[in-house]
């Protein structure tokens, strides 16, 4: 329930200066929280340490004893400034978090360190928030609580009751003659084709199949594991998309290749792969330090340290796989560029062929269409200059011969030089052969055997 300004003033006047110091931040927080109602999604869980979990209210309190709490904030996946994301986090996490905690969770780039007594790490890649190649995951870890912030929904990050997983159902093939509303005779749940295509891109189970963490270290491993699974899902989708595109290019014709070049499809895909490599590089910087620092904590088990090491190895293998995809995209783009250059050369060939046909015609029409009045050899009535037209034609032929020689002489010189070079090589080879035969045959006549 929100308090009005008059009620706050009454409380302040009645309780004195000490009450004034306590009520002022609460008043500011209430007035500020009204600016972003429902802007972010948030979930809160409490774990009893025995493999059970319960939903709890959003109070940002830490657990006691074996119990520990997890508070997750899901920022909207939209093109927004970092300052706007910081305001969203201030709205839901302050108090008890301070401004330095908010900045350490929302800033871009990789980070690992201790902030206000808590272990904080983040893998936030720069880029538009609406892009599926922009990943942001940050965590603030203490002995009895974990606060995480993600950009958009991370698959399998949360928890749901068991028995609600689609993967645990017995599937059945969809009958094409099946009428909606009728029961399936074979039993089991019908899995449609588009659902199967979606499941094939998943490299993990669903939320209902998640093992419930029994300690904070289990929860940290779960958070890192879901982040790696998310990246692996994107890489798998890219592989499937690239295979389909290669098949389309093999089957497609001129229009399809021209459309891909106009849309700049492969340069955009290459840019997305570079962003994905940046995300993986951030993980390679942060997660080894998380494992190193957490191994010295009494609440972090050795098994979870080994699990983090395996996740780091998966990240390295993903980096190699993304590198292979980038090389494939570069090869496809190079093939399209060579195809485009071939099309341009073919058009230029047709244009030059047409010019060869029409150039002599243009010369002839130019000669017969010349206005030669007043030019020497043009007075056809003068008997001394009766051969003037023939002289003009001879002059044109002489000019054409000069131009022809300008093109022919360099090619002729090149042919003569190559012929002389080949002749010299063949002559030297024949001399060497004669000397070899004279040495071998002469020695055989004298000694009766061939010296090796």
């Amino acid at each position: 329930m929100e308090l009005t300004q008059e009620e706050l003033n009454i409380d302040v006047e009645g309780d004195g200066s000490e009450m004034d110091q306590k009520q002022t931040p609460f008043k500011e927080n209430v007035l500020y929280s009204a600016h972003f109602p429902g802007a972010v999604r948030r979930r809160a869980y409490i774990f009893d340490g025995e493999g059970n979990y319960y939903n709890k209210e959003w109070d940002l309190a830490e657990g006691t004893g074996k119990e520990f709490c997890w508070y997750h904030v899901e920022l909207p996946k939209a093109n927004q400034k970092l300052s706007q994301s910081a305001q969203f986090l201030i709205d839901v996490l302050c108090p008890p978090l301070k401004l330095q905690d908010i900045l350490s969770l929302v800033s871009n780039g990789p980070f690992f360190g201790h902030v206000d007594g808590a272990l904080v790490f983040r893998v936030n890649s720069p880029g538009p928030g609406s892009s599926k190649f922009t990943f942001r995951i940050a965590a603030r870890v203490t002995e009895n609580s974990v606060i995480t912030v993600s950009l958009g929904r991370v698959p399998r990050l949360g928890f749901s009751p068991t028995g609600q997983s689609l993967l645990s159902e017995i599937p059945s093939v969809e009958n094409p003659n099946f009428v909606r509303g009728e029961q399936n005779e074979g039993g089991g749940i019908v899995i449609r084709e588009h659902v199967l295509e979606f499941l094939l891109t998943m490299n993990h189970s669903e939320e209902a199949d998640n093992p419930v963490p029994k300690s904070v270290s289990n929860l940290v491993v779960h958070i890192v594991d879901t982040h790696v699974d998310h990246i692996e899902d994107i890489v798998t989708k890219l592989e499937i998309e690239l295979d389909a595109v290669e098949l389309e290019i093999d089957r497609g014709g001129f229009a399809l290749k021209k459309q891909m070049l106009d849309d700049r499809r492969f340069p955009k895909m290459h840019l997305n792969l570079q962003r994905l490599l940046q995300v993986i590089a951030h993980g390679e910087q942060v997660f080894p330090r998380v494992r190193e620092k957490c191994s010295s904590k009494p609440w972090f088990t050795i098994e979870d340290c080994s699990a983090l090491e395996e996740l780091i190895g998966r990240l390295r293998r993903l980096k190699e796989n993304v590198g292979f995809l980038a090389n494939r995209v570069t090869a496809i783009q190079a093939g399209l560029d060579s195809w485009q250059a071939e099309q341009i050369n073919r058009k230029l060939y047709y244009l030059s062929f047409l010019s060869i046909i029409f150039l002599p015609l243009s010369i002839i029409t130019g000669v017969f269409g010349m206005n030669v009045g007043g030019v020497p050899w043009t007075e056809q009535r003068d008997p001394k200059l009766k051969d003037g037209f023939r002289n003009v034609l001879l002059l044109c032929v002489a000019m054409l011969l000069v131009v022809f020689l300008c093109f022919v002489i360099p090619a002729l010189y090149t042919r003569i030089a190559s012929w002389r070079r080949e002749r010299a090589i063949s002559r030297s080879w024949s001399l060497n052969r004669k000397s070899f035969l004279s040495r071998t045959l002469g020695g055989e006549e004298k000694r009766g055997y061939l010296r090796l």
Side-chain angles (χ1 to χ4, degrees):
M1 185 179 75
E2 297 184 0
L3 299 178
T4 61
Q5 186 68 29
E6 295 180 358
E7 292 175 347
L8 288 174
N9 291 336
I10 292 174
D11 293 338
V12 170
E13 291 175 0
D15 295 336
S17 60
E18 183 179 358
M19 201 65 184
D20 185 25
Q21 296 176 357
K22 295 181 180 179
Q23 290 289 343
T24 301
F26 177 73
K27 176 184 69 175
E28 293 177 357
N29 187 33
V30 171
L31 294 176
Y32 184 76
S33 298
H35 291 177
F36 309 106
V40 297
R41 297 179 60 184
R42 55 188 185 181
R43 288 176 288 180
Y45 303 98
I46 184 170
F47 303 88
D48 59 0
E50 302 294 336
N52 300 314
Y53 78 96
Y54 310 96
N55 296 321
K56 68 184 299 290
E57 61 181 2
W58 189 269
D59 54 3
L60 298 176
E62 295 192 359
T64 57
K66 290 184 177 181
E67 295 181 349
F68 58 97
C69 302
W70 179 29
Y71 304 94
H72 177 66
V73 180
E74 184 180 313
L75 295 174
K77 199 169 181 61
N79 293 330
Q80 59 189 6
K81 297 181 179 178
L82 286 179
S83 58
Q84 186 71 28
S85 301
Q87 290 179 1
F88 290 157
L89 292 185
I90 292 173
D91 191 13
V92 296
L93 297 179
C94 296
L97 265 62
K98 301 177 182 178
L99 182 59
Q100 59 180 352
D101 299 318
I102 300 298
L103 296 180
S104 62
L105 292 173
V106 79
S107 299
N108 279 333
F111 174 79
F112 175 81
H114 290 84
V115 179
D116 197 16
L119 189 147
V120 178
F121 66 89
R122 70 167 184 265
V123 184
N124 294 347
S125 61
S130 59
S131 174
K132 63 180 180 180
F133 297 94
T134 302
F135 294 81
R136 292 175 188 169
I137 185 73
R140 182 181 184 273
V141 184
T142 59
E143 187 174 356
N144 294 101
S145 71
V146 177
I147 298 175
T148 55
V149 179
S150 68
L151 179 64
R153 179 182 178 273
V154 179
R156 203 175 63 88
L157 183 61
F159 297 92
S160 61
T162 58
Q164 297 181 2
S165 174
L166 182 63
L167 301 179
S168 61
E169 298 288 343
I170 299 176
S172 176
V173 179
E174 183 180 5
N175 188 359
N177 299 323
F178 181 73
V179 181
R180 187 181 298 273
E182 296 182 358
Q183 292 291 334
N184 191 10
E185 297 179 357
I189 185 171
V190 177
I191 307 297
R192 298 185 181 274
E193 184 179 359
H194 68 279
V195 179
L196 284 175
E197 291 180 355
F198 171 74
L199 294 176
L200 287 173
T201 61
M202 295 174 56
N203 297 282
H204 50 77
S205 56
E206 293 185 342
E207 292 184 354
D209 302 313
N210 289 336
V212 179
K214 298 181 179 181
S215 63
V216 174
S217 61
N218 292 153
L219 183 57
V220 172
V221 171
H222 171 72
I223 294 169
V224 178
D225 187 17
T226 53
H227 174 71
V228 177
D229 283 341
H230 194 190
I231 298 175
E232 194 169 358
D233 288 346
I234 299 298
V235 174
T236 304
K237 291 178 182 178
L238 279 175
E239 289 179 345
I240 296 175
E241 180 182 357
L242 194 57
D243 293 338
V245 168
E246 289 178 345
L247 186 60
E248 289 179 3
I249 291 177
D250 293 338
R251 294 180 177 178
F254 178 85
L256 178 63
K257 295 178 180 178
K258 188 68 169 59
Q259 184 67 30
M260 288 184 177
L261 287 171
D262 293 339
D263 295 341
R264 301 184 69 252
R265 185 169 183 177
F266 292 103
K268 293 178 181 178
M269 189 180 294
H270 194 273
L271 181 60
N272 292 331
L273 287 172
Q274 296 304 315
R275 290 177 179 172
L276 203 58
L277 282 174
Q278 187 181 29
V279 174
I280 297 175
H282 289 174
E284 285 184 333
Q285 295 178 26
V286 173
F287 297 145
R289 298 180 61 189
V290 172
R291 181 188 59 80
E292 180 182 355
K293 292 296 181 180
C294 289
S295 60
S296 61
K297 303 291 183 180
W299 43 267
F300 210 91
T301 61
I302 300 177
E303 291 80 5
D304 293 328
C305 289
S306 301
L308 281 179
E309 186 66 30
E310 293 179 1
L311 293 174
I312 295 169
R314 284 180 59 191
L315 268 182
R316 296 193 179 112
R317 290 189 293 271
L318 275 176
K319 186 177 181 179
E320 295 177 357
N321 197 4
V322 173
F324 295 150
L325 289 178
N327 293 335
R328 287 176 61 186
V329 171
T330 304
I332 295 174
Q333 181 63 36
L336 287 178
D337 291 339
S338 63
W339 174 83
Q340 187 180 27
E342 182 182 353
Q343 296 297 319
I344 294 174
N345 292 334
R346 184 174 298 178
K347 293 177 181 179
L348 291 177
Y349 172 76
Y350 293 151
L351 183 62
S352 61
F353 185 75
L354 292 176
S355 64
I356 289 173
I357 294 175
F358 288 102
L359 184 60
L361 300 178
S362 63
I363 293 175
I364 295 173
T365 55
V367 170
F368 282 98
M370 287 190 299
N371 186 6
V372 295
V375 179
W377 298 335
T378 59
E379 296 294 335
Q380 300 297 328
R381 296 179 181 178
D382 191 353
K384 298 180 179 179
L385 302 176
K386 62 180 180 179
D387 297 330
F389 184 74
R390 184 190 62 186
N391 297 334
V392 172
L393 289 179
L394 292 176
L395 183 62
C396 291
V397 171
M399 293 297 296
L400 289 175
L401 287 175
V402 171
V403 174
F404 180 74
L405 290 175
C406 290
F407 285 97
V408 170
I409 288 176
L412 187 61
Y413 175 77
T414 304
R415 280 183 173 273
I416 293 173
S418 62
W419 174 75
R420 293 182 62 183
R421 194 180 304 110
E422 291 177 359
R423 186 169 178 270
I425 292 173
S426 62
R427 185 177 179 183
S428 63
W429 181 82
S430 63
L431 292 175
N432 293 333
R433 183 172 178 272
K434 289 180 180 179
S435 62
F436 175 75
L437 291 175
S438 63
R439 289 195 303 268
T440 55
L441 295 178
E444 186 176 357
E445 292 176 357
K446 294 179 181 179
R447 300 179 182 87
Y449 62 91
L450 177 64
R451 180 182 296 274
L452 297 177

